[in-house]
Amino acid sequence: MIFQHEEFASHMSFRLMNQHGVNDPIKLISMCPTMDLLAVCTETDSVWVARWFNSLEKIWTLPAEKHDEDKVEVLTWRPDGKVIALGYSSGAIRLYNVDKLEMIHELFPQSTDPKLKTNSISSSAINFLIWVQENESDNENVNEQQINYLSTHPVQRHLPKLNTIPRAKPISNLLGNINESYEDELEDEPSNLIDLLIAGDASGNLHLSVYGIYQLLPLSISNHIKSQSAKIIKASIAPDLSYIILFVRASYPSPAVKSKTSTNDKLVEVILNTGLLHARKNEIRTLSQTYTTIKYLTEYIFEGFKQIKAEYENMKSSAKIYIDKFQSVLLENDANSKLSAEFVHFLATGRPSSLLHKYLEMHLTKRGLKDWENKGQKSFEQIREYIHHYVRPGCERLLLRLSTLIGYCKWQQRFKGLGLSESYVRSIIVSTECLINRLENMLNAIDEKYINFMEFQQWLQYEFDNISLVDHNQSQEAPPRIDISKVASYIKSSLHMDFLDDYFEETADIPLPDMLILRCNKMSTSTAYNVVNSVDTKEFLDIIDNLIEDSEGTLSLLLDTRIVTKENQTFVYVAFCLSRTIQYLPPSLWVLRSSLKSENAFDSLEKPSDKRTSEITFIRLSNQERQNEYLRITDMRLFDDEKMHIIVTGLNETENEVSFIAEVNYSKLNFVQVAGPHIIQVIEKSNRVNVVDQILNQKNMENFNSLLVHQYREITQFKPSKLITNGARRLACILSEDKKRIIILDTNDQEDEDEDNSEMMQFS
């Protein structure tokens, strides 16, 4: 065997679940944390989701031309497996529902000043994306009353039941742009866990978004570590979201060369204290849920108002057809008159003029009159339906949510510092009440004009039939009961169907529904800004200086990190491999372990220590079968809180190249304490010590291990290139070097009983 293994290690303990082939090379691939699904982005930028368990059955495909030249740079799953986030070269982040091909939301990282006076969209490509959720175990000891004390406004139980917002789409697709999967957000379904979407862009900014606060506001990593540029390559989050550990490739001016273009690249660990995100977790969760509901309610209201206007325009267009036909009669007869005047004369005398008679005879046939009546009646009823059953209930629910925020504004003990302003919330309430008042006036106008319209149609139908009967010398039926005043009122003021124009003509630059959305977004942005800017850089750790790139310009080391909490102690594990560098020979695998304080520094008055004691282990990658050869690690992942999975390649006794997936228990390795590494508050200090150089300079290699694996399996299907793991479901996915084939492995410690059958499976 090319490496050592424990006595009880099982050769076939990684059970082969399935293997597949694809047509287009895979650029990005990720495993769903809860279901047997794969999210794949090909090198042609086609994104698809498929079931891997059987035949790689595709659920949906997002075509590459969906967003023109915008390229997908990174993707990740929401922890519940229901949503996928895609990061694009334009700087946009788009969230897609997994069950359907639907975009839930589109995020644009923004640059916002503290006073929220200016907003500018960032155009830097998103090159890092991770979506995490607070660990459920962190809430086990929290009193249930403490968790839910903010979930529902108490007064809601004593108020009359509001009109129900329908879940089914109305005729004109009122909810066409509101995703059905998020309609449940309009109801009170509080969650005890908090989601955090973390993104990094090409400009060295870290963007945080709590699941309800959709604004992505930047935290400049470059400024915090005083570097020329910074690229986030890995991140890990503490289970309670108290810390964010970033591994950044930072560039600094080279001290030996004065040229501005000469830089010195370093691998820097940045420890971020999440501040308000941890200290005000319950409050932020509550505000996020409230903001989420407000967001979808305002969009619901906006869409409804837009549909009302569209239906009104249809009504006007329908009426205009009949008016234009009368204008053609006037042109044919060189007459100068108006349709309303002709109808008034007809109503007063009981006899139509020659022009009106010709118009009725040529254009307003019996079918034409009925069609006009049906279209007008349908439009009136549809507008009334939108106002009464959709938009107004949405406004009522929005007022209730805004009233809840007023209560939070007064609760200074818990909500101070979260960007809530009582005066601003009240101004949104006033805008909502203005919109409700406008809707009430519109509803009254609709009711009045509808009655007049039906009276007009009944009168016109009777007169049309009367003219037809006179022309054919038939007996006339008794006239229906018609309110002549309503007919006259309709002819005078509503014949052109422009009676709602004043309600859609805005005196301000921004229409009221649009302004409502903007003001609510600004309110949530204020909270997001305060949360993001409470994140503070606690300390830095320089791991490796002078990073070297290979001929292809790729990163010179493999790296993975994980924060592990056990017995009230929190450790940061960092595994990195230097097998592709010329600077560090022979190839080596390193695991660095450092402790974090259990309490959050945001609440602590203690100043950070100047030094942090760390432990490190060095794993020799020597080939047991060929003593002069060294193994090569193709990829690796810290699988869970104890195990690390690596892909190892080497030459066997017959000089054939073989590849294995192997499991190493990294928490039980032979760690030794190092003097340092130094934690530096200002990274330009001259006392920076490189962790790796400390060990290499000591040449104390006898204290370290050879590669000892717990379980392993030979990869015979192809030459591997990338390892993707799913610790939640204990699965591993390996991508081939040509990026067209994958295998799925079960990492549980079980014998592969169906090994012979598994090896016979063909690529689909």
Side-chain angles (χ1 to χ4, degrees), residues 587-698:
S588 54
L589 175 62
W590 304 75
V591 180
L592 175 67
R593 179 170 66 190
S594 305
S595 61
L596 283 175
K597 292 181 180 180
S598 58
E599 74 274 13
N600 187 274
F602 181 84
D603 296 323
S604 176
L605 298 177
E606 299 180 9
K607 293 183 179 180
S609 172
D610 290 336
K611 293 185 178 182
R612 183 178 69 189
T613 303
S614 300
E615 297 173 300
I616 198 167
T617 185
F618 165 86
I619 302 175
R620 296 188 184 93
L621 297 178
S622 56
N623 192 329
Q624 300 299 312
E625 296 184 355
R626 299 171 64 85
Q627 297 300 321
N628 295 327
E629 299 283 348
Y630 289 92
L631 305 178
R632 182 177 74 254
I633 294 183
T634 304
D635 203 359
M636 65 179 179
R637 291 289 183 272
L638 298 184
F639 184 73
D640 56 25
D641 289 351
E642 295 182 349
K643 299 171 184 176
M644 173 172 59
H645 288 165
I646 57 178
I647 298 178
V648 183
T649 302
L651 297 178
N652 59 17
E653 293 180 344
T654 59
E655 298 190 0
N656 292 321
E657 189 174 80
V658 290
S659 297
F660 293 84
I661 178 172
E663 180 180 286
V664 177
N665 192 325
Y666 65 87
S667 65
K668 295 182 179 180
L669 292 172
N670 183 24
F671 286 91
V672 298
Q673 189 170 332
V674 291
H678 291 270
I679 296 171
I680 44 183
Q681 298 303 310
V682 182
I683 206 161
E684 287 92 343
K685 284 185 178 180
S686 59
N687 63 344
R688 185 185 299 112
V689 177
N690 186 304
V691 179
V692 176
D693 286 343
Q694 285 186 48
I695 302 301
L696 294 179
N697 290 338
Q698 293 173 7

Side-chain angles (χ1 to χ4, degrees), residues 72-336:
V72 179
E73 300 292 338
V74 64
L75 60 83
T76 188
W77 290 81
R78 197 169 73 178
D80 62 5
K82 296 180 179 180
V83 179
I84 293 177
L86 302 180
Y88 287 81
S89 57
S90 65
I93 299 175
R94 300 182 179 101
L95 311 183
Y96 285 90
N97 187 307
V98 175
D99 293 333
K100 311 165 187 177
L101 182 57
E102 291 181 342
M103 186 171 72
I104 296 173
H105 194 66
E106 188 170 24
L107 303 166
F108 287 98
Q110 295 182 354
S111 198
T112 309
D113 70 0
K115 297 181 180 179
L116 298 175
K117 292 182 179 179
T118 59
N119 292 296
S120 59
I121 303 297
S122 171
S123 59
S124 297
I126 302 296
N127 54 26
F128 178 82
L129 203 59
I130 184 174
W131 206 334
V132 295
Q133 187 179 66
E134 178 188 7
N135 197 324
E136 293 187 31
S137 61
D138 296 322
N139 288 306
E140 291 179 355
N141 298 324
V142 180
N143 186 282
E144 184 177 354
Q145 184 178 359
Q146 292 178 323
I147 295 176
N148 296 318
Y149 74 103
L150 295 169
S151 61
T152 306
H153 200 289
V155 76
Q156 191 171 352
R157 297 194 297 267
H158 307 289
L159 292 176
K161 184 176 177 62
L162 293 174
N163 290 336
T164 302
I165 295 180
R167 295 187 181 276
K169 293 184 180 180
I171 298 173
S172 297
N173 295 322
L174 174 61
L175 297 179
N177 294 331
I178 300 180
N179 188 270
E180 288 181 347
S181 67
Y182 271 80
E183 287 181 32
D184 290 338
E185 297 287 354
L186 301 177
E187 305 298 329
D188 286 322
E189 294 185 2
S191 170
N192 295 335
L193 302 177
I194 192 168
D195 285 348
L196 187 63
L197 182 62
I198 301 177
D201 65 26
S203 298
N205 291 318
L206 177 72
H207 302 271
L208 304 179
S209 175
V210 180
Y211 60 82
I213 307 173
Y214 283 103
Q215 286 72 18
L216 283 169
L217 299 177
L219 177 68
S220 176
I221 300 301
S222 300
N223 292 338
H224 275 255
I225 62 177
K226 305 297 189 297
S227 66
Q228 290 182 343
S229 65
K231 180 180 179 181
I232 302 171
I233 56 177
K234 281 288 180 179
S236 185
I237 319 297
D240 63 352
L241 305 185
S242 57
Y243 290 101
I244 301 175
I245 309 296
L246 300 178
F247 286 87
V248 179
R249 180 170 188 163
S251 297
Y252 297 90
S254 177
V257 184
K258 295 183 178 180
S259 172
K260 294 182 179 180
T261 59
S262 178
T263 60
N264 185 13
D265 286 354
K266 305 176 185 300
L267 177 64
V268 180
E269 177 195 50
V270 182
I271 302 179
L272 299 176
N273 187 315
T274 57
L276 286 172
L277 184 62
H278 177 72
R280 295 289 181 265
K281 193 180 304 181
N282 284 338
E283 290 77 12
I284 291 173
R285 179 191 299 116
T286 301
L287 284 180
S288 297
Q289 292 169 340
T290 304
Y291 288 154
T292 299
T293 304
I294 288 175
K295 171 185 171 52
Y296 283 98
L297 282 172
T298 52
E299 289 190 359
Y300 183 92
I301 293 166
F302 175 80
E303 290 296 322
F305 205 80
K306 189 167 68 174
Q307 290 297 328
I308 292 172
K309 186 175 182 180
E311 197 65 49
Y312 173 61
E313 294 297 332
N314 290 337
M315 180 190 292
K316 290 174 64 176
S317 299
S318 179
K320 187 175 183 299
I321 293 174
Y322 298 100
I323 295 173
D324 289 345
K325 288 180 178 179
F326 181 72
Q327 294 296 328
S328 64
V329 173
L330 296 179
L331 290 174
E332 291 174 3
N333 294 272
D334 296 328
N336 184 15

